[in-house]
């Protein structure tokens, strides 16, 4: 495919005074996992809904799978799977009934639909609970069911809106393995998250904040390109050190991680960062080491840019 | 103690805030008493007047014209037609275009002279209040003095004979049971469907459904089909028990009964569907259902005769599917009318169904805008 799976220019959505999505350009290539990383209210869900054709953009153009959206939304619906943030299958139907219902809605022929459901039951380890009602399942099981439902009609493009918010770490790891299997089969996946460890797994990442696209690129690229210095500070009275560090103009943020304080600084060079910190804090007992920026640092730096 | 009072007030304050933010519920707080008061005030009129009747004058005499005039001025009846034969009048009673007919015989003048009963009322007894009102005319005094020799007529003991058709014993259950089908179906059909779509929205299922290739009309019709069976089960229970326990006679055709029932179920279901596109919560859907249910009980002819209600109440009644169904089912079930005789009400229900389905489908959008 020459054209990107998702292509937007100047995509915006206003709800009255509130600008939920502000002038976003996206170029999402096929066969990759593209992540939307952002805090709650950053416009992730609104953006996804516009890409699915569920919301009409206030401005800008959207092309998804070479279809103009929202004009061609009805045709797009046959080719996308959408896993909503809140569980949206029927609580009072069993696993099998839920999948059977969707298979018929999507117009899968009886035999083909039945085979597809069996395949999904195996793939998402739901076979043992095919007769169980969705209401009686655990978070991880419900999430696997939701993914099975979203991929039932073998869509080319999957939208997953915070798919792992109600899932424990082990199930989350498992879930991501399933996503990579899907990409391996040629699917494109757009996933929104506010977890750093999840964002790090994506091929490409967009950092969203207050409706704007702050950074775009692969996680490694984003970390490498970060024009900030990260200093790890070890010592006593870290709470006090933190409030003092935040007074320094060059310090953008400071967060305690167990026995150490991670300080993000807007400084020219590595050496100058430690010098500024050491001089300002004037505490000989503190041990300072330069650290490699993590994705969280990128995220914090990106959202700091927003602040006036 | 003050701590307890504070907590109570905190809950009351929170409740009031939530109530004032639910606009529909807040509106209902005002609208329910307002509208219902007007409805009750209009409908509860136990003095029955203006019953549509016909006159069949076989005598062609001056006395007949005088009697007709005297019947008219009682205001109990409204003479809407003149027929040539009793058979025509009976057909009109069955069809429901008139509630009763006064037949004045060939020998009217001789009967008056002899002091016999002057004529006979053929009355649709399927509405017991109408029947009672016309029974009241049985001994109305006649004054046929003008233009005749003094003392020419002897007063009769009974002025008219009254033949109550369809419910000669004037048992109220005969009247109530078929009408009850309309009330119960209105309640359950509208409530079930209105809640059905709202529930999907409340639980988040709608967000999933609208990303699938399903069309709104497909979704609407699919949601309605199961409730058609619910309606059929209910009407079977009501009419079955009515026959077994209350011995309500079934005088009509079974196929006619099926046709009118399906038409009414369809109309009620689509009305419920329209509500579900307006209501945001199941609670709101419930309130709107009650809003339609009350006039359906009071104005449809179930409790009070339609003909006795003032015009504004009749206009409201005319909009309600229950009014048309009560006419249909009393006609088919009690009077043995055929569907062809009741076509206007049936067509009205069909038209209503199509209109509601259309509006509901147009209102339902597959976007979240």
């Amino acid at each position: 495919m020459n054209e990107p799976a998702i292509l937007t220019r100047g995509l915006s959505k206003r709800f009255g005074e509130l600008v939920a999505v502000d002038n976003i350009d996206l170029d999402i290539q096929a066969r990759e996992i593209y992540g939307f990383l952002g805090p709650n209210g950053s416009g992730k869900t609104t953006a996804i809904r516009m890409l699915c054709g569920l919301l009409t953009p206030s401005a800008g153009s959207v092309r998804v799978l070479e279809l103009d959206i929202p004009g061609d939304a009805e045709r797009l619906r046959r080719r996308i799977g959408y896993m909503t943030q809140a569980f949206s299958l029927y609580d009072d139907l069993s696993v099998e009934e839920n999948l059977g219902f969707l298979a018929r809605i999507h117009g899968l022929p009886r035999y083909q639909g039945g085979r597809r459901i069996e395949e999904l039951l195996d793939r998402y380890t739901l076979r043992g609970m095919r007769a169980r009602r969705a209401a009686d399942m655990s978070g991880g099981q419900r999430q696997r069911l939701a993914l099975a439902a979203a991929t039932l009609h073998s869509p080319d493009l999957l939208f997953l809106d915070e798919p792992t918010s109600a899932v424990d770490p082990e199930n989350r790891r498992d879930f991501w393995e399933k996503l990579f299997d899907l990409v391996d089969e040629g699917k494109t996946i757009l996933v929104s998250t506010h977890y750093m460890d999840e964002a790090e797994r994506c091929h490409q990442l967009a950092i969203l904040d207050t409706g704007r696209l702050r950074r775009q690129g692969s996680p490694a690229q984003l970390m490498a390109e970060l024009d900030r210095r990260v200093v790890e500070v070890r010592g006593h009275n870290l709470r006090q050190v933190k409030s003092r560090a935040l007074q320094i103009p060059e310090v953008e943020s400071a967060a305690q991680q167990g026995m150490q304080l991670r300080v993000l600084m807007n400084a020219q060079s590595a050496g100058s960062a430690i010098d500024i910190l050491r001089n300002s804090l004037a505490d000989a007992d503190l041990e300072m080491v330069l650290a490699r920026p993590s994705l969280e640092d990128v995220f914090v730096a990106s959202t700091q840019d927003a602040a006036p | 103690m003050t701590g307890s009072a504070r907590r109570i007030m905190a809950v009351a304050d929170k409740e009031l805030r939530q109530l004032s933010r639910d606009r529909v519920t807040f509106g209902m707080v005002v609208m329910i008493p307002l509208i219902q008061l007007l409805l009750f005030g209009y409908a509860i009129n136990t003095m029955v007047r203006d019953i549509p009747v016909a006159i069949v004058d076989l005598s062609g005499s001056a006395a007949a014209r005088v009697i007709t005039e005297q019947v008219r001025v009682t205001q109990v009846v409204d003479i809407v037609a003149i027929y040539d034969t009793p058979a025509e009048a009976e057909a009109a009673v069955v069809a429901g275009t008139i509630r009763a007919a006064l037949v004045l015989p060939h020998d009217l003048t001789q009967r008056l002279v002899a002091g016999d009963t002057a004529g006979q009322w053929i009355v649709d007894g399927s509405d017991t209040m109408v029947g009672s009102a016309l029974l009241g005319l049985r001994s109305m005094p006649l004054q046929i003095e003008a233009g005749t020799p003094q003392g020419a007529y002897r007063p009769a003991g009974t002025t008219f004979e009254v033949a109550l058709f369809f419910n000669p014993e004037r048992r109220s259950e005969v009247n109530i049971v078929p009408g009850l089908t309309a009330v119960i179906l209105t309640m359950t059909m509208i409530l079930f469907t209105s809640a059905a779509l709202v529930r999907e929205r409340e639980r988040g299922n709608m967000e999933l459904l609208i990303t699938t290739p399903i069309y709104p009309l497909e979704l609407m019709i699919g949601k309605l089909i199961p409730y058609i069976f619910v309606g059929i089960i209910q009407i079977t229970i009501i009419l079955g028990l009515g026959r077994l326990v209350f011995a309500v006679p079934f005088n009509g055709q079974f196929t006619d009964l099926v046709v009118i029932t399906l038409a009414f179920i369809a109309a009620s279901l689509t009305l419920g569907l329209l509500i579900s596109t307006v209501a945001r919560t199941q609670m709101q859907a419930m309130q709107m259902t009650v809003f339609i249910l009350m006039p359906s009980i009071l104005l449809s002819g179930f409790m009070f005769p339609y003909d006795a209600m003032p015009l504004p109440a009749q206009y409201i009644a005319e909009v309600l599917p229950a009014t048309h169904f009560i006419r249909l089912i009393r006609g088919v079930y009690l009077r043995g009318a055929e569907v062809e005789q009741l076509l206007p009400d049936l067509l009205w229900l069909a038209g209503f169904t199509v209109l509601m389905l259309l509006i509901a489908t147009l209102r339902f959008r597959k976007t979240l805008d």
Side-chain angles (χ1 to χ4, degrees), chain A residues 50-61:
Chain A
M50 284 194 287
L51 297 177
C52 297
L54 291 181
L55 281 176
T56 314
S58 308
S61 67

Side-chain angles (χ1 to χ4, degrees), chain B residues 282-330:
Chain B
Q282 293 192 60
M283 174 78 178
Q284 289 183 355
M286 183 109 83
Q287 293 178 62
M288 291 185 198
T289 304
V290 171
F291 199 69
I292 290 170
L293 183 64
M294 291 300 282
S296 292
I297 294 173
L298 292 171
L299 302 185
S300 61
F302 170 67
M303 286 192 109
F304 310 104
Y306 173 86
D307 309 306
M309 291 186 300
L311 269 184
Q314 288 189 356
Y315 290 145
I316 299 171
E318 211 54 49
V319 179
L320 299 166
T323 308
H324 297 272
F325 182 60
I326 282 183
R327 278 186 210 148
L328 286 169
I329 195 158
R330 282 187 180 154

